Amino acid sequence: MKPQFLIAAPHSGAGKTTITLALLRALQRSGRRVQPFKCGPDYLDPKHHTLAAGQECVNLDAFMMTAQHLPEVYQRYTQQADVCIIEGVMGLFDGARKMEGSSAALAALLGVPVILVVDAQAMAYSAAPLLYGYKHFFPDITLAGVIFNFVNTPAHYRILEEAAADAGVPVLGYLPERADIRIPSRHLGLHISAESDYNAIIDAAADHLSAHIDIEQLQQQTQTPVPAPAAEAPGSSSGVLRIAIAKDEAFNFTYRENIAALSQLGVIHYFSPLTDTVLPPADLLYFPGGYPELHLPQLAANTGLLQQLRQYEGRILAECGGMMYLGESIVDETGNAWPMAGLLPVSTSMQSPALTIGYREVHIGDVIFKGHEFHYSHYVKVPDITGPAIRVLNARQEIIPGTVFHTPRLLAGYMHFYWGDNVAGLQRVLGLPG
């Protein structure tokens, strides 16, 4: 038995990320080994979780991961933890299709209780039917308790306590409004600020939460049996590949299980397209997503590395920002075009940014990859090179326009691929040794 739970809310913006970070830091400061998880494909919240907990956060995504692989991953990382905390995504029941892939579906699959964060700043006794509905709508989950956020006064909180009691939901406490612990705005919805800034905010949030929430009661309320792991953790590399992964301020969006899967194919080294002038010896180069648009002068000025990349003869994997870097140029918000690697017949632009978001399923012959798109940039002109052997589908299994660059030595696109449970598919499409 150990405390393990999913933090959810009726809707986005209720404060579940701030409360998750505060709990992670408060528990970490008390000497507990706390393992953070993030429901869904997000990259930014896991970075914050890792900083708050001192343990690397792991994504759990019921769309991208198979029903066997997901609980295996969860169980593996829970074994050495004292407390396990999953931050949900959007509203508790919001999924790709109805509840599919939602926080509620994840809680049911893993058998962990839910703590609901309710924005109560404009609510009083109406919290009772809200909580009653969330408790009874989906009987496969357990609502372990509620935290009321943005509560105006102690008198306001007493009304909310009465509402929760009438709905049969335990109350774990409340948090008054604190403007200084709000997460800073992010570049186009994505950017992470300096680590020192976030540490100060997380510490303040942990202090605030500890003053109003009984953390010991919360842990007692969420004690749940932990099943033994169904699969052994990945061991040391048995592969022969030399794998070089771009990792710096421009390229840093990776899934932990993707890296673990790659490590089974060979030895991983990291390099920086921003600062390294020599391309490392590698059989496979991986350019993950990130913020190339924030570092265009520096990336374009590193001409030696770009030239070496044009002459590289090994395999290449690139996603979103990494794919943009492999194109002919990236146009910044002012209209200036910055030359890039030129390995792909396309240019991308940050002018007139518009959000593209959603789950994707890509069929390359008989190999299927699942993943996610989240970007504001766009192609200057949409290249027509996908071909009949490649199909792109959304979460509703509808064929949609989408460009995936594939040759015997390259796989690239706007989609962030998940291959943590499908490294064999990656080997097949890139011709990597088994």
Side-chain angles (χ1 to χ4, degrees), residues 308-386:
Q308 292 171 56
L309 185 55
R310 295 179 190 114
Q311 297 169 352
Y312 175 73
E313 296 182 351
R315 305 305 198 260
I316 300 177
L317 173 63
E319 304 165 323
C320 202
M323 178 275 296
M324 296 166 66
Y325 178 68
L326 296 187
E328 295 171 355
S329 66
I330 299 176
V331 179
D332 64 23
E333 293 176 328
T334 67
N336 292 323
W338 299 87
M340 294 291 128
L343 299 185
L344 299 175
V346 67
S347 292
T348 51
S349 175
M350 294 301 300
Q351 283 196 300
S352 304
L355 177 61
T356 298
I357 185 172
Y359 285 112
R360 301 290 183 259
E361 182 177 292
V362 174
H363 296 240
I364 304 173
D366 60 352
V367 176
I368 299 175
F369 290 111
K370 291 189 175 182
H372 188 260
E373 280 192 47
F374 192 133
H375 56 91
Y376 286 86
S377 67
H378 54 88
Y379 293 119
V380 174
K381 63 176 182 178
V382 179
D384 184 19
I385 58 100
T386 297

Side-chain angles (χ1 to χ4, degrees), residues 20-301:
T20 299
L21 295 174
L23 273 172
L24 290 171
R25 178 57 58 84
L27 288 163
Q28 185 262 347
R29 292 193 310 201
S30 72
R32 307 281 276 171
R33 182 184 175 97
V34 56
Q35 176 61 57
F37 299 90
K38 173 62 182 178
C39 174
D42 182 46
Y43 292 97
L44 264 293
D45 284 344
K47 291 177 183 291
H48 301 159
H49 292 176
T50 299
L51 182 63
Q55 295 287 336
E56 187 173 355
C57 181
V58 178
N59 289 81
L60 300 171
D61 191 290
F63 177 86
M64 298 194 302
M65 305 165 80
T66 66
Q68 177 181 351
H69 174 66
L70 190 155
E72 288 176 352
V73 170
Y74 178 73
Q75 291 159 11
R76 189 164 70 242
Y77 287 104
T78 60
Q79 298 307 302
Q80 303 302 316
D82 299 317
V83 184
C84 299
I85 300 179
I86 308 167
E87 184 188 349
V89 61
M90 300 174 62
L92 177 58
F93 299 106
D94 295 330
R97 290 183 296 182
K98 294 188 176 181
M99 280 178 52
E100 188 177 315
S102 67
S103 302
L106 179 64
L109 176 64
L110 298 178
V112 298
V114 173
I115 293 175
L116 196 68
V117 175
V118 172
D119 177 353
Q121 61 184 326
M123 181 184 297
Y125 190 71
S126 291
L130 173 75
L131 293 174
Y132 185 88
Y134 273 78
K135 179 179 179 179
H136 294 283
F137 176 75
F138 184 46
D140 289 351
I141 61 172
T142 299
L143 192 56
V146 58
I147 295 173
F148 291 109
N149 203 11
F150 311 126
V151 175
N152 299 324
T153 64
H156 180 199
Y157 178 55
R158 286 195 293 272
I159 297 171
L160 296 168
E161 282 185 301
E162 293 170 346
D166 289 350
V169 177
V171 181
L172 299 173
Y174 77 100
L175 291 178
E177 169 72 6
R178 276 276 299 270
D180 61 323
I181 62 172
R182 287 186 178 272
I183 302 299
S185 61
R186 302 183 288 184
H187 168 73
L188 297 178
L190 288 173
H191 184 50
I192 185 169
S193 296
E195 183 173 306
S196 59
D197 295 340
Y198 270 94
N199 258 322
I201 293 170
I202 292 169
D203 275 332
D207 293 339
H208 185 53
L209 181 136
S210 298
H212 293 89
I213 304 293
D214 187 337
I215 298 177
E216 289 302 317
Q217 178 201 359
L218 184 152
Q219 292 181 83
Q220 288 297 320
Q221 199 80 20
T222 56
Q223 290 276 344
T224 313
V226 178
E232 292 294 324
S236 58
S237 169
S238 59
V240 299
L241 293 180
R242 298 167 300 171
I243 302 168
I245 301 177
K247 185 177 182 180
D248 54 24
E249 291 183 354
F251 306 100
N252 52 63
F253 290 174
T254 57
Y255 293 124
R256 178 166 177 167
E257 291 305 293
N258 276 356
I259 304 303
L262 282 181
S263 71
Q264 300 308 296
L265 302 181
V267 178
I268 291 175
H269 297 282
Y270 293 95
F271 73 103
S272 170
L274 285 172
T275 60
D276 290 338
T277 58
V278 176
L279 194 67
D283 304 297
L284 172 64
L285 294 176
Y286 172 30
F287 294 92
Y291 305 117
E293 68 273 16
L294 299 181
H295 305 277
L296 293 176
Q298 194 172 351
L299 289 171

